Amino acid sequence: MTKDELFSELSNAVISCKKDKVLEAVEKARRELDPSEIIDKGLAAGMNEVGILFEKGRLFLPHVMMAADAMTAGVKLLEDDLPAGAVKGKLGTIVNGTVEGDVHDIGKSIVSTMLQSAGFEVHDVGRDVPVQVFIDKIREVDADMVGLSALMTTTLLGQKEVITCLKEEGIRDRVKVMVGGSPATQAWADKIGADCYAENASEAVMKAKELLCGA
Ligand code: B12
C-alpha cells in the first residue's frame, strides 16, 4: 500500500465513526508510517472531514462523539511509538489546556503528547479550564510557556483573557504564550499579543523549540 492509501484508510476509518476500524487501520499504518504522520495526515484529516459532514447535516452529534472517541483510541495506541522524551523536561516546561467554556480536547491532547515526546515537561490542565487555573498552574510549575486551545469562535476570547490576566498578575514577561485551535490564526495571535500560533501539533513542537530553545 502507498503512503497516500494508508492515509486515506486512516481517514476513512475515522469517518466511519467505528473504533475497531480505526484501531485496525492504525495497527496497519504504524508498521510503515511515522506516528506523527499517522495522526496529522491520517486521523486528524478524517476528523476534519467529520466536521465538514457534521456542518452539512450528513452526520449528527452522536456520530461526531463516536468518531472523536475512535480517534482518541487511535492516538492512545500510538503513544508508545512516539519517542519517549528521553531528555524530558530539559527543553522547558509547558502548561497546556483548552480555555473555559470549551470542551474540545482531542487536538489539545495531541499537542501535549507531541510536545512531551519532543522533550518538554508538559502539564496538561485539561479542557474547559478557568483562567485562574492556568495562572495557578503556571506559577506552581514555573512554566516557560502556556499553550491555549480554543475550537470555537465563541471561546477564542478565552485566549485573550488568559493573556490579560498574565499581565495583571505581572508574569506576562516570564511566560511565552502559544495559541491554537481551528478558529485561531496568526493574525488573531498578533492581535491578542500571543508569542506564537501553530496550526497543528508538529508545528507546535517546532515553534516551541524556536521560542524556548532558539532552535
Ligand atoms: C469532535 C468535535 C466535537 C466533540 C469534542 C470531543 C472532544 N473530546 O474533543 C463533541 C461532540 C463533544 C463536540 C461538542 C461541541 N461542538 Co464540536 N466539533 C468537533 C469537530 C468535529 C472536530 C474537532 C476535532 O477534534 N478535530 C480534530 C483535531 C485533531 O483537530 P483540532 O482540534 O483542530 O486540533 C489541531 C489544531 O487545531 C491544533 N491545535 C489544537 N489545539 C491547540 C493548542 C495549541 C496550543 C496549539 C499550538 C495548537 C492546537 O493542533 C491540533 C492537532 O493537529 C469540530 C469540527 C472541526 N472541523 O474542527 C467541531 C466543532 C469545533 N464543534 C462545534 C460546536 C458548535 C460544538 C458544540 C457547541 C455542539 C453543540 N451544538 O452542542 C459542542 C461544544 C460544547 C462546548 N461547550 O465546548 C463547532 C464550532 C463552531 C465555531 N466555529 O464556533 C465545530 C467547528 C463544528 C461546526 N462546524 O459546527 N464537538
Side-chain angles (χ1 to χ4, degrees):
M1 248 187 173
T2 66
K3 266 187 162 195
D4 283 344
E5 282 167 343
L6 287 167
F7 290 141
S8 41
E9 190 166 292
L10 288 158
S11 157
N12 287 334
V14 176
I15 297 165
S16 80
C17 309
K18 293 194 177 118
K19 197 187 283 186
D20 54 346
K21 274 201 166 182
V22 170
L23 294 178
E24 206 179 295
V26 169
E27 276 298 358
K28 192 160 154 194
R30 74 198 289 203
R31 287 179 229 138
E32 318 256 340
L33 304 172
D34 193 66
S36 56
E37 285 189 305
I38 296 180
I39 295 172
D40 276 348
K41 297 188 185 157
L43 301 176
M47 202 65 218
N48 283 335
E49 189 57 31
V50 167
I52 293 167
L53 294 170
F54 174 63
E55 276 167 45
K56 288 184 179 160
R58 288 177 44 206
L59 283 181
F60 299 102
L61 206 54
H63 298 120
V64 178
M65 292 171 87
M66 281 160 66
D69 188 40
M71 164 144 185
T72 306
V75 173
K76 198 119 206 85
L77 196 63
L78 288 167
E79 276 173 11
D80 292 344
D81 298 351
L82 287 161
V87 281
K88 203 172 175 178
K90 281 274 165 60
L91 299 185
T93 304
I94 303 178
V95 169
N96 195 34
T98 305
V99 298
E100 189 162 19
D102 198 324
V103 303
H104 297 90
D105 68 353
I106 301 174
K108 178 272 300 165
S109 301
I110 295 173
V111 170
S112 288
T113 305
M114 303 267 276
L115 285 170
Q116 200 157 2
S117 81
F120 291 95
E121 180 181 317
V122 179
H123 297 266
D124 190 320
V125 283
R127 58 185 179 175
D128 189 10
V129 179
V131 177
Q132 198 56 45
V133 173
F134 278 108
I135 305 292
D136 291 348
K137 197 68 183 175
I138 289 166
R139 280 223 163 90
E140 181 196 324
V141 301
D142 194 17
D144 303 298
M145 177 182 265
V146 59
L148 303 170
S149 181
L151 262 286
M152 299 190 289
T153 43
T154 46
T155 52
L156 262 188
L157 267 182
Q159 298 178 333
K160 190 175 174 214
E161 279 164 20
V162 175
I163 295 177
T164 306
C165 199
L166 286 170
K167 286 182 187 156
E168 284 167 4
E169 301 265 334
I171 52 172
R172 175 65 185 98
D173 53 346
R174 285 192 357 224
V175 59
K176 304 282 185 207
V177 178
M178 174 158 71
V179 294
S182 46
T185 58
Q186 184 60 56
W188 168 251
D190 293 342
K191 190 171 168 194
I192 63 172
D195 295 288
C196 77
Y197 157 76
E199 195 183 342
N200 54 44
S202 318
E203 207 178 293
V205 170
M206 218 172 66
K207 299 256 174 106
K209 282 185 176 167
E210 268 170 29
L211 274 174
L212 300 185
C213 325

